[in-house]
Amino acid sequence: MRNLKVLTTTLAAVLAVSSLLSACSSGDKATKEEPAAAGDKANSVLNASGFPIVKSDVSMRVFGCKDPNQAAWKDVLVLKEYEKKSGIKMAYEETPTQGCSEKRNLLFASNELPDLFLRADLSNTDISKYGMQEQMLIPLEGLIEKYAPNLKKLFDQYPEAKKTVTATDGHIYSLPVIRLQAAGRGDKIWINQEWLAKLNLKAPTNVDELFTVLRAFRDQDPNGNGKKDEIPLGLRDPGMVFNTFAGSFGLDRQLGTNANIDNNKVKLWVGDDRYKELLMFLNKLYAEKLLYADFYAQDLPKWRSNLSQALYGMFFIYASDPFSKVENQFAGMAPIKGPHGDQLLSTGSPLASPIGTFAITRVNKNPEAAIRWVDYFYSEEGSQFFNYGIEGQSYTMKNGKPVILDSIKNDPRGFMAALGQVNLVPGGGFPTIIVDDIVLSEKTKEVSAVSEKFTSKVMYGAPIFNKEATDKVVPIKADIDKFVQESAIKFILGETSFDKWGEYTATLKKMKIDELEQAYQTAFDAMNK
């Protein structure tokens, strides 16, 4: 086996006297040691910089959720090599994705905690409950400050990423995936360039041009088969109503919900006039048979079948995987300019997402070593190692860039299954930075580049509310989200007249949308203290 070719990451010298208690939180149950004792212990175990991370044997019990394409974690190339490199032995207790949440919750309920949760899909509610409330997950910001220079640098460079993972009590209980490549964040706009060429049309730039192009797709048989089987605009599910053309009407998706942030003020817009205009626009598309008629049915297999046959003229999707055989028939396009001059692509996701990929529990005896273990993957070198593995064994260098070996790309088991022998990339959710997403096709990256400049410069993820806010917000939000989506479908299909808009907004008031908005405002203010 060839040795891993990596440069030694130099860390700042570890301060000699400090306690995990003072570094994290005075109320943290994770440590009972006096400051000097904690500092001495960390120094006795850790090397000040470089690898191995520890001076003596350190073992940790790790729980996580295993994607079907991943090998047993103990056999994954990157994890095996990193154990040798770091000197930390990980006892992996991965559980299949189906049933993983139940197993994870049982560990919390029975207080049978592992040392680490890794790729365990911790939700914001989990982080609130087991971090802020139960203190089973320890605060990490003090550890990051002292022992995680790569992550600290990223948080300094991208403060919105740090804000997204910071709970409303000011502590960080879990770590995210940080996607530096815009192509990895959110749906892109795809348009059938072959149809455009056949009809001598250009990609639309505004609402009027959009209708012109979609009507031509509907009426002029651009696929040339003599059938009226073309679907001009293929929205795949009801949720697409809120983030496809919303940006063209000045509506953003901030804080993980239908919200704009203007001058530090949070505005939930599902009762606003701009949103009404969006629904009227979609209603017109539907009435003219320009919009996929079954968008509300949530029949993904049927939608993907149409996509694989290139029956859509225009659609929104994250990547070209479901239609790779016909992907070259499509091109990227910028969002259309709306009636008020807005031109925003609001399908993006936050820089830091998902946020529950790594957490240290209060039973971990070496949290300093644990944070150093994960910090390597937040460096470009560590990210390359995680994504590509070992040169010669899983990748080669071409034009100064790593390229996965053809034997892996063309493996008869499939690319994802073969890659799952190398790393935990299949399924995502590993704590790292993604500089160049290896699972995205070049076509996807090309399409993304067309609209990247129209995305919000800063995207905030969903807040981590405290218990009181969670107990109050979650039921209100669930009821409002259900009502808003059901109402949107009825407005678009014409089942509810827009004359009823006043009744709709009055119902939102009764459902306490003002209280929900205030809860988001409070959480946003806490993020920005």
Side-chain angles (χ1 to χ4, degrees), residues 273-301:
D273 287 343
R274 288 289 188 94
Y275 176 57
K276 180 183 178 182
E277 289 184 56
L278 170 63
L279 293 179
M280 294 176 76
F281 160 76
L282 293 169
N283 169 255
K284 184 178 179 181
L285 288 170
Y286 185 82
E288 293 195 24
K289 301 187 184 316
L290 302 176
L291 179 61
Y292 178 47
D294 294 329
F295 77 92
Y296 59 89
Q298 302 193 65
D299 187 345
L300 185 57

Side-chain angles (χ1 to χ4, degrees), residues 302-340:
K302 182 179 178 181
W303 186 87
R304 284 192 168 184
S305 175
N306 292 331
L307 180 59
S308 65
Q309 298 174 68
L311 294 179
Y312 296 124
M314 180 180 172
F315 56 92
F316 297 73
I317 199 171
Y318 173 74
S320 64
D321 303 41
F323 60 105
S324 57
K325 292 182 179 179
V326 295
E327 67 175 4
N328 288 327
Q329 187 167 332
F330 300 94
M333 63 172 276
I336 62 169
K337 187 174 291 186
H340 304 284

Side-chain angles (χ1 to χ4, degrees), residues 20 23-24 139-155 162 165 172-176 367 371-372 374-375 378:
L20 179 59
C24 298
L140 304 178
E141 64 276 358
L143 293 168
I144 293 169
E145 183 69 24
K146 294 181 179 180
Y147 304 111
N150 296 311
L151 186 54
K152 182 180 183 298
K153 180 180 178 181
L154 286 168
F155 281 165
K162 183 177 182 180
V165 300
I172 296 172
Y173 296 97
S174 69
L175 301 183
I371 204 72
R372 277 206 58 200
V374 75
D375 185 59
Y378 288 106

Side-chain angles (χ1 to χ4, degrees), residues 101 153 172 189 232 275 345 374 418 424 429 445-446 474-475 479:
S101 295
K153 180 180 178 181
I172 296 172
I189 312 176
Y275 176 57
L345 181 62
V374 75
L424 302 188
K445 296 172 186 177
E446 173 191 316
V474 171
D479 289 343

Side-chain angles (χ1 to χ4, degrees), residues 41-63:
K41 180 182 176 183
N43 289 332
S44 68
V45 172
L46 289 179
N47 283 314
S49 61
F51 292 102
I53 291 172
V54 291
K55 300 174 182 177
S56 56
D57 289 344
V58 170
S59 299
M60 296 185 191
R61 180 181 163 220
V62 182
F63 176 84

